[in-house]
Amino acid sequence: MIDHSSPPSPIPLRKQRDYRLLWTARTISITGSEVSKLAIPMTAITLLTASPSQMGMLTAAASVPALLFGLQSGAIADRLTRHRPLMIACELVSCAAAATIPVAWLLGVLNVVWLIVVALVIGTAGVLFKAANFPHVAAVVEPTQRTEAMAGFHASYSVASVSGPGLAGLLVQLLTAPLAVLAEALSFLTSALLLRTIRTREQTTPAASKGMWRDVVEGLKASVTHPVLRALLGAGVTINFFAMAYTAVYMLYMLNTLNIPKGLIGVLIALSGAGGLLGAWITARLCKRYGENRILLFAVIFFPVEILAVGLLTGPLWWKLSLLALTGTITGGIVVAFATCMGAIILRETTPELRGRVNATMTFAVQGVLALGGLAGGFLAELLGLRSVVLICAAGIALSTIWIWTSPIRPHRPHRPELASPDLRVPAPSFTKSVNHLIDSRRHSWL
């Protein structure tokens, strides 16, 4: 007998107009940002003869907004009834800021300070956008499809990581570096227009504000007192710290220790992006069968495999390239699988009125350790040597397994604790990079 009380199956995501618009907007915007990662530094170096200290400030300017405004952005997002207007405004502000670079260059007034200010403006708008985008996903996508949606968003980062650098090089050659930044401006504008055409109505109940500081503290408290969220936070910080330490020595190790040709390093990095696309496709299907918890538990085990293989690698060039290509592709998929499940679990475990702040806290923490990890990797390489640092990073990333496997995420624990405060109760299972925001580029930040 047919059970007429069961809810109908939701429309597949690929056939949902608003999800397609949201995914396309993010993919275009991120690809434009990948172009600017090459075009803006090239402008500073080739046209403005920037000094090393100026290049350092320009590089830091991209991450400073996350440290200054990351926590507050979550509190702002949780106060909103509708998130899409803020997202559109952020894209338009970023478009205007990026467009000033070619205009200033044509007028002869462009300088390094101008580039730094633009980087700060775009970075700040990006922080606000990501804070609003996270809860907005819950409005556009059905709860049962959110893991698949998150996998799709992480796939867009993989697309950008594969296509962005090549497109950037082509545009810089054809248009010169400052004019290539126009691609970023146009990508932000296109994203804003696509977001504007989304029809889904948001019905978010804004959280009652107790003041900015108390709102921020409430998000911090939720992230560190809830056992599942605390485990994800600890694992994310551990992974990104040691991943960035590895990134700091990666290029030197590949060139000087493994003697990998320069031109093939880019190919290996692109393979990790291709692995991310494959990982997004597989993760969505595996999660439907086994659930996000189990996929996360096994994904974290494989995180250090590539770095360990790199640290132990010796032999002829063909063997090195074969193993690096294989492990890099697999790790690209593992990173996407972990980040997808992490984002899904965060949405599932967090009440709607706290999603913006919990997401902002996670982003602030896992991105904030990147600078520390980079410094630690460079310093240890001076003391211990490149191969030793690579092996230390593999062991360090393996520590993230402890966070995950000792948490309530493990399937044999049937009861999931609730948040301590009645106002922070855990809802029934439904969903969650960053964190889309969590994988901008695997070689620069794994989560």
Side-chain angles (χ1 to χ4, degrees):
M1 187 163 78
I2 299 175
D3 182 7
H4 295 284
S5 62
S6 60
S9 300
I11 300 172
L13 284 179
R14 65 181 182 276
K15 296 183 179 180
Q16 293 184 25
R17 173 184 177 277
D18 286 351
Y19 173 74
R20 293 200 309 268
L21 288 170
L22 184 59
W23 184 90
T24 304
R26 293 306 299 136
T27 303
I28 292 173
S29 180
I30 296 166
T31 302
S33 297
E34 286 293 322
V35 171
S36 73
K37 286 181 181 179
L38 174 64
I40 291 180
M42 286 289 290
T43 300
I45 294 170
T46 60
L47 298 180
L48 304 178
T49 60
S51 66
S53 61
Q54 288 175 323
M55 288 303 298
M57 289 187 289
L58 180 59
T59 303
S63 57
V64 165
L67 297 176
L68 294 180
F69 310 115
L71 296 176
Q72 297 92 321
S73 67
I76 293 171
D78 282 337
R79 296 177 182 181
L80 300 176
T81 303
R82 298 173 61 219
H83 297 94
R84 194 160 62 252
L86 176 59
M87 295 161 60
I88 293 172
C90 289
E91 295 290 72
L92 292 176
V93 169
S94 297
C95 170
T100 65
I101 292 179
V103 172
W105 177 66
L106 292 173
L107 295 176
V109 297
L110 185 64
N111 54 44
V112 175
V113 174
W114 193 299
L115 295 179
I116 292 173
V117 172
V118 169
L120 289 172
V121 171
I122 293 177
T124 302
V127 168
L128 288 170
F129 181 98
K130 291 174 183 178
N133 181 66
F134 190 71
H136 178 67
V137 173
V140 175
V141 180
E142 292 290 331
T144 57
Q145 295 179 308
R146 288 171 183 168
T147 300
E148 184 180 356
M150 293 295 286
F153 289 132
H154 287 306
S156 71
Y157 293 111
S158 298
V159 169
S161 69
V162 173
S163 62
L167 178 61
L170 179 63
L171 292 175
V172 168
Q173 286 286 345
L174 294 177
L175 303 176
T176 72
L179 292 180
V181 181
L182 275 176
E184 181 180 30
L186 291 174
S187 71
F188 286 132
L189 178 61
T190 303
S191 174
L193 294 176
L194 290 173
L195 292 172
R196 180 66 180 82
T197 59
I198 292 177
R199 298 171 183 168
T200 301
R201 294 184 60 185
E202 294 187 79
Q203 299 178 340
T204 306
T205 301
S209 176
K210 302 174 183 177
M212 179 61 72
W213 176 245
R214 293 185 67 181
D215 288 349
V216 168
V217 170
E218 196 171 15
L220 288 168
K221 180 181 177 182
S223 301
V224 300
T225 58
H226 187 281
V228 171
L229 299 180
R230 182 173 62 244
L232 294 175
L233 180 63
V237 169
T238 302
I239 290 169
N240 265 15
F241 177 85
F242 288 102
M244 198 59 183
Y246 171 66
T247 301
V249 302
Y250 171 79
M251 201 69 69
L252 286 172
Y253 184 79
M254 287 288 175
L255 293 172
N256 299 337
T257 303
L258 297 184
N259 298 313
I260 304 298
K262 296 179 182 178
L264 293 179
I265 293 178
V267 175
L268 294 173
I269 295 175
L271 284 174
S272 71
L277 289 173
L278 181 62
W281 182 80
I282 294 176
T283 300
R285 285 150 182 77
L286 289 178
C287 285
K288 288 181 179 179
R289 182 169 184 177
Y290 299 107
E292 295 87 1
N293 286 16
R294 289 186 178 181
I295 302 304
L296 188 78
L297 284 163
F298 287 100
V300 73
I301 295 175
F302 291 96
F303 252 111
V305 169
E306 180 194 7
I307 300 180
L308 181 61
V310 169
L312 299 175
L313 189 56
T314 58
L317 181 61
W318 69 267
W319 167 248
K320 295 176 185 176
L321 291 175
S322 299
L323 189 61
L324 289 172
L326 177 62
T327 57
T329 303
I330 293 174
T331 300
I334 293 297
V335 169
V336 168
F338 185 92
T340 297
C341 294
M342 179 177 176
I345 293 171
I346 291 172
L347 267 178
R348 184 189 72 199
E349 298 289 335
T350 311
T351 51
E353 64 271 16
L354 279 169
R355 281 174 179 162
R357 281 168 286 175
V358 168
N359 177 62
T361 300
M362 295 283 181
T363 304
F364 176 83
V366 299
Q367 299 298 313
V369 300
L370 293 179
L372 296 176
L375 291 173
F379 179 72
L380 287 175
E382 293 282 350
L383 294 177
L384 305 175
L386 295 172
R387 191 181 293 271
S388 296
V389 172
V390 172
L391 293 175
I392 289 172
C393 291
I397 289 180
L399 295 175
S400 61
T401 306
I402 299 174
W403 283 102
I404 300 300
W405 279 79
T406 58
S407 74
I409 294 174
R410 292 189 65 179
H412 68 271
R413 299 187 180 183
H415 299 294
R416 186 171 62 254
E418 295 187 345
L419 292 166
S421 168
D423 294 330
L424 309 180
R425 294 189 303 273
V426 181
S430 61
F431 176 77
T432 176
K433 256 47 160 260
S434 181
V435 192
N436 75 18
H437 61 297
L438 291 185
I439 300 183
D440 289 340
S441 168
R442 188 178 73 86
R443 286 297 177 194
H444 295 286
S445 108
W446 280 17
L447 294 180

